[in-house]
Amino acid sequence: MSLRPHRLELLSPARTADIGIEAINHGADAVYIGGPSFGARTNASNEVADIERLVQHAHRYHARIFATMNTILRDDELEAARRQIWQLYEAGVDALIIQDMGLLELDLPPIQLHASTQTDIRTVEKAKFLQDVGFSQIVLARELTLPQIRDIAAHTHCNIEFFIHGALCVAYSGQCFISHAHTGRSANRGDCSQACRLPYNVTDGAGQVVAFEQHVLSMKDNDQSANLRALIDAGVSSFKIEGRYKDMGYVKNITAHYRLLLDEILEDRPELARASSGECTFYFQPDPDRNFNRGSTDYFVNGRKDDIGAFDSPKHLGLPIGEVARVGDRWFDVALSAADEALAQGESTAGIDGIHNGDGLNYQTLLKDIVGVQVNTAEPVGKSGRLWRVFPNEDIAALKDLKPGVAINRNRDRAWDKLMAGKSAERRIGAWLSLSDTADGLRLTITDEDGHVGEATVACDKQAAQHPDKAEATLREHLGKLGTTILSALEVQLNLAQPWFVPASVINALRRDAVATLEAARVAGLPRLVPGEAVQPPVAYPEDSLSYLANVFNHKARDFYAQHGVKVIDAAYESHEEEGDVSLMITKHCVRFSLSLCPKQAKGVTGVQGQVKAEPLQLINGKEKLTLRFDCKPCEMHVVGKIKRSVMNQVPAAPLQFYRTRPLA
């Protein structure tokens, strides 16, 4: 059993079980979370007992929990991985997110498998292959366009998952090795050093600098808020939010944001339905701009665009709140933007209600450097509420280029943080309650919106009420007290011979018992997700040779590909067999295009190509040098370099000897 075609799944991240619980409370239909080991976020691991606690909460709403085990594994790690998978299955986890095909060769429990983003799914052929070897859900590459997504969905029957929000890796996922080459920290083993967020000088073949200290590999953040309807029509059924390193406030806010957007679509499209139960009430107005972001882009979904990079800085500027009005010896005044002016310009008005002690502000210098300012205290000046005096923690003299007219942003709002730290939502499942007579007492039947039924009876002395109207109102009131449950009373029916006088303690106990039986019925009525079945005989992999780009790091993975017709299998880059210059990153992002040096852009522009050679280009950061090569037919860029000697000399814990050409049996 998998997602039915008409059901839409909002899939949220969780660094911890507690964050996962809040993701469910804020409308997630599923949550993905790292287990004790082997997740692609080293510092986001969780014990099985904590994941089991999350599972129990999620299943109350028929929401699902997916555990990430999406690193590539050494041979000596496979048995530990197998044991962990069984532990997660026994804890009730609904699916595993993996990238290492060696896991398919192990003795696994009957658990559903989802293909991780690191499997790099960009073609119909790759998608069909993964479906045919047993994957039930596949996440497509972030770089795909709507027509490409539609084409894959049309040729597969597995669930199609797509990232709709969060940080963007500039490389095709699973196709970046810069971190390992330079530091020994492997992105494919969950420990990326994020070289893409560093500033680089870009030079041409003559050594001419064409970009100075620019973060040319740093992308803006993904935001598909405006494309949800188009993605649904293209065949996407699972909408994934990035962020297993993110904090509680981020997960609450972004989950709520997309819950509201998807619910609006569901309201308009009755043929669609959500993948779990209950409706959310939020005690705040979701706003993605409140959280850390580098600006937003919908990337390539609607085709290549000019402005997808966060080249000036990978930091979070926050929301604009005003500008410097005056600078004193220990303070500076900020004139806040007027709400009506901000609204007229289509900007968020969040934060213009004042500046709070402990807020984080920032501004940009003349050279576009970002200077952070921590507010020690802030106080209004005058009665208008628009002018605020800020006493920063920093020395005023140290705040470079701070002067009247400088725009001020807020990237940390203490009032917002306080709001997010408290109870900010609740999720309830609609239910109908019916109280009826029995021979010796009362029966309460509760039916929820999914058709599950809970029932309880109580033997009691029923006395005719002296005031029937008041007795009926009292019965309805006590039956509808569902505040500490996950239920919300849609209707309370009294199918009684007459309104009886019944002690409140009796009704409350009856209600609690009926709710308990309903919750038990809900859990019993939630089936395990059925794993996909591999096609027999084994289908052929789309290619008959694999380079280091396939990330084959153990013998089980090698055997898997051999069974599927691959003849030449190179070891993963982490095996240290690639000593020379190779592609350390492959990306759809093109520095040449971003700097207006693309031959297609330059065509017809007098003198452009004569002034700057587009190839080769180099990226330089300190002593690090990388070469940019451009494959214009698929419109891709390769970042080329070689592994450092210091990294090469690191001895792998379990050295592998791979045959580049598989010998005959």
Side-chain angles (χ1 to χ4, degrees):
M1 180 180 177
S2 196
L3 277 178
R4 281 175 269 175
H6 69 287
R7 291 195 178 272
L8 305 182
E9 175 182 88
L10 178 58
L11 177 54
S12 293
R15 190 181 72 224
T16 67
D18 288 336
I19 292 176
I21 287 170
E22 286 304 322
I24 298 296
N25 293 343
H26 286 70
D29 299 303
V31 166
Y32 64 106
I33 186 171
S37 304
F38 312 121
R41 297 291 185 273
T42 301
N43 298 318
S45 58
N46 294 273
E47 295 303 317
V48 173
D50 288 326
I51 294 177
E52 185 173 15
R53 177 166 58 90
L54 171 58
V55 167
Q56 291 171 353
H57 183 74
H59 284 181
R60 298 174 77 191
Y61 298 94
H62 287 191
R64 302 292 186 171
I65 301 302
F66 307 150
T68 59
M69 289 185 63
N70 52 343
T71 59
I72 55 174
L73 306 172
R74 301 188 309 259
D75 279 319
D76 63 325
E77 295 173 323
L78 290 173
E79 176 56 23
R82 185 193 68 81
R83 290 196 302 268
Q84 181 174 301
I85 291 170
W86 275 96
Q87 291 168 356
L88 291 167
Y89 175 77
E90 290 164 357
V93 165
D94 297 291
L96 285 180
I97 301 174
I98 66 171
Q99 77 151 316
D100 195 320
M101 297 300 139
L103 293 175
L104 275 68
E105 299 295 297
L106 304 182
D107 171 32
L108 299 183
I111 191 168
Q112 196 169 96
L113 299 179
H114 295 183
S116 170
T117 182
Q118 282 86 358
T119 56
D120 186 28
I121 305 167
R122 288 180 265 156
T123 65
V124 169
E125 293 76 17
K126 182 75 170 285
K128 287 182 67 176
F129 173 78
L130 291 172
Q131 169 190 277
D132 290 345
V133 300
F135 285 90
S136 302
Q137 186 156 309
I138 59 175
V139 60
L140 304 187
R142 297 169 173 92
E143 294 81 2
L144 296 189
T145 63
L146 284 169
Q148 290 172 316
I149 295 169
R150 189 179 299 112
D151 192 27
I152 291 174
H155 290 89
T156 56
H157 55 74
C158 58
N159 298 328
I160 301 298
E161 181 182 311
F162 194 72
F163 277 99
I164 56 170
H165 201 92
L168 285 167
C169 293
V170 62
Y172 291 124
S173 192
Q175 303 294 284
C176 185
F177 311 96
I178 296 176
S179 178
H180 187 78
H182 288 179
T183 69
R185 295 166 53 187
S186 167
N188 281 311
R189 286 177 57 78
D191 195 20
C192 180
S193 63
Q194 295 198 320
C196 57
R197 302 299 181 187
L198 297 175
Y200 293 95
N201 289 339
V202 183
T203 63
D204 64 12
Q208 180 180 349
V209 176
V210 295
F212 179 73
E213 289 289 303
Q214 291 284 292
H215 301 262
V216 293
L217 298 180
S218 180
M219 298 292 96
K220 291 180 177 179
D221 286 2
N222 186 21
D223 186 341
Q224 301 295 336
S225 298
N227 296 324
L228 295 181
R229 294 174 188 268
L231 289 169
I232 292 169
D233 292 339
V236 174
S237 57
S238 180
F239 300 83
K240 190 171 192 175
I241 298 169
E242 181 275 338
R244 279 201 299 122
Y245 274 158
K246 300 293 189 178
D247 61 20
M248 181 85 76
Y250 170 93
V251 173
K252 285 182 173 184
N253 185 30
I254 303 304
T255 300
H257 170 71
Y258 283 99
R259 181 73 271 154
L260 291 176
L261 292 180
L262 287 173
D263 284 350
E264 183 180 328
I265 294 171
L266 295 176
E267 189 75 22
D268 295 341
R269 303 271 298 267
E271 76 278 13
L272 302 174
R274 62 179 301 175
S276 61
S277 308
E279 292 190 4
C280 294
T281 301
F282 301 117
Y283 305 134
F284 69 103
Q285 180 60 47
D287 182 359
D289 289 337
R290 291 283 200 165
N291 293 112
F292 180 98
N293 67 82
R294 303 174 180 90
S296 62
T297 174
D298 67 358
Y299 216 30
F300 293 93
V301 165
N302 290 302
R304 186 179 291 277
K305 297 181 178 179
D306 295 333
D307 191 22
I308 64 174
F311 295 164
D312 288 335
S313 174
K315 297 179 181 179
H316 174 47
L317 277 174
L319 292 168
I321 62 168
E323 64 179 35
V324 176
R326 186 181 174 196
V327 178
D329 56 348
R330 296 185 301 108
W331 49 265
F332 62 93
D333 289 343
V334 177
L336 300 183
S337 303
D340 55 347
E341 293 173 355
L343 286 171
Q345 296 170 10
E347 300 171 354
S348 171
T349 61
I352 62 172
D353 57 333
I355 299 175
H356 318 114
N357 298 347
D359 279 358
L361 308 179
N362 65 66
Y363 64 94
Q364 287 187 298
T365 68
L366 296 175
L367 296 178
K368 299 295 185 181
D369 293 327
I370 296 176
V371 178
V373 180
Q374 184 73 28
V375 178
N376 183 14
T377 60
E379 57 190 36
V381 178
K383 297 181 179 181
S384 69
R386 292 194 58 193
L387 190 65
W388 284 74
R389 180 154 295 173
V390 174
F391 295 86
N393 286 345
E394 297 81 6
D395 189 342
I396 287 290
L399 299 177
K400 184 180 178 182
D401 293 343
L402 184 70
K403 58 185 179 181
V406 168
I408 297 292
N409 305 297
R410 173 159 49 198
N411 57 6
R412 185 188 180 196
D413 186 336
R414 289 297 296 271
W416 174 264
D417 292 347
K418 184 178 180 180
L419 181 63
M420 290 293 96
K423 183 176 180 178
S424 48
E426 64 178 9
R427 179 172 178 173
R428 293 187 178 272
I429 298 166
W432 292 265
L433 290 80
S434 175
L435 184 68
S436 57
D437 289 318
T438 64
D440 61 349
L442 298 169
R443 173 185 292 110
L444 177 60
T445 303
I446 306 179
T447 305
D448 71 18
E449 62 189 45
D450 299 315
H452 300 288
V453 178
E455 190 173 270
T457 59
V458 62
C460 63
D461 180 23
K462 295 181 290 186
Q463 300 178 13
Q466 294 181 357
H467 304 285
D469 291 345
K470 183 177 180 181
E472 179 177 334
T474 300
L475 285 172
R476 291 183 184 278
E477 177 187 353
H478 287 293
L479 289 173
K481 287 183 176 179
L482 299 169
T484 59
T485 74
I486 63 171
L487 303 175
S488 174
L490 299 175
E491 183 182 9
V492 178
Q493 292 184 340
L494 301 181
N495 299 312
L496 305 172
Q498 60 178 295
W500 304 108
F501 170 75
V502 182
S505 59
V506 173
I507 293 297
N508 290 340
L510 180 64
R511 185 194 64 242
R512 287 193 294 268
D513 290 345
V515 168
T517 59
L518 175 60
E519 285 228 37
R522 287 189 59 81
V523 172
L526 180 66
R528 278 273 193 181
L529 294 179
V530 177
E533 292 187 9
V535 172
Q536 295 297 335
V539 295
Y541 189 72
E543 303 170 27
D544 64 2
S545 64
L546 295 175
S547 72
Y548 68 95
L549 297 172
N551 299 319
V552 179
F553 200 40
N554 59 70
H555 286 81
K556 288 292 186 182
R558 184 193 65 182
D559 293 345
F560 169 87
Y561 285 111
Q563 290 172 18
H564 292 278
V566 182
K567 304 300 182 184
V568 179
I569 305 171
D570 286 358
Y573 191 77
E574 289 78 359
S575 297
H576 297 177
E577 293 189 6
E578 304 291 342
E579 299 187 25
D581 283 335
V582 297
S583 294
L584 296 180
M585 175 194 289
I586 305 175
T587 172
K588 192 71 174 175
H589 165 55
C590 179
V591 169
R592 177 196 287 181
F593 183 87
S594 296
L595 297 178
S596 299
L597 300 175
C598 173
K600 295 178 182 178
Q601 293 170 310
K603 188 175 181 180
V605 179
T606 304
V608 169
Q609 287 180 301
Q611 292 176 0
V612 180
K613 294 182 179 180
E615 191 175 10
L617 296 179
Q618 275 199 327
L619 299 182
I620 302 173
N621 174 269
K623 295 182 179 179
E624 308 290 358
K625 291 186 179 181
L626 296 164
T627 300
L628 302 182
R629 294 179 182 165
F630 304 93
D631 188 351
C632 294
K633 187 174 182 180
C635 207
E636 294 174 345
M637 181 177 76
H638 291 241
V639 182
V640 178
K642 62 182 178 181
I643 195 167
K644 282 187 174 182
R645 181 56 53 189
S646 59
V647 175
M648 181 66 76
N649 290 339
Q650 296 175 7
V651 179
L656 299 178
Q657 295 297 322
F658 271 63
Y659 295 105
R660 287 186 178 275
T661 303
R662 244 184 112 71
L664 296 175

